[in-house]
Amino acid sequence: MAHGDITHIDIPVSDTARATEFYGAVFGWQIAEMPGFEGYPMWQAPNKISGGGLAPRSDDFTTPRSYVEVDSIEETLATVRELGGRVVTEKSEISPTSWWAAFEDVDGNQIGLYEGTTGAG
């Protein structure tokens, strides 16, 4: 994937077993927990390209969030701040070689950021 590509979509769910059954039946997604990501089943579309996770729903995570790959999360968040956006989650480690963050744009939409490589999915 390249800078600017959508790499992942998280769907907030309150019951992962129910959501796994639902999305598997509706879309034919393969859904499974990966070692190291327990409680966060990841889905893959039949095209073997599209994918994401069934993430725990929380007060600040109530709608699906797309993640965009960037070369530098720090630089991207600095630009977001300069342009009037708000950082929701600072850069956080996924694995030793991958990180994520989230921000809110000037219209209140949440977008995730991804930097690095990971063996998951």
Side-chain angles (χ1 to χ4, degrees), residues 30-66:
Q30 297 298 310
I31 304 170
E33 288 187 354
M34 307 292 285
F37 296 95
E38 290 77 14
Y40 175 66
M42 294 192 199
W43 60 269
Q44 186 173 50
N47 67 11
K48 303 294 184 200
I49 298 169
S50 304
L54 300 178
R57 178 178 293 276
S58 65
D59 289 343
D60 61 345
F61 182 54
T62 60
T63 60
R65 180 188 299 147
S66 297

Side-chain angles (χ1 to χ4, degrees), residues 80-104:
V80 165
R81 288 180 176 105
E82 288 171 16
L83 297 175
R86 181 179 73 85
V87 174
V88 174
T89 305
E90 293 287 347
K91 183 176 180 179
S92 301
E93 184 177 289
I94 298 169
S95 75
T97 60
S98 60
W99 303 266
W100 75 281
F103 69 89
E104 192 172 271

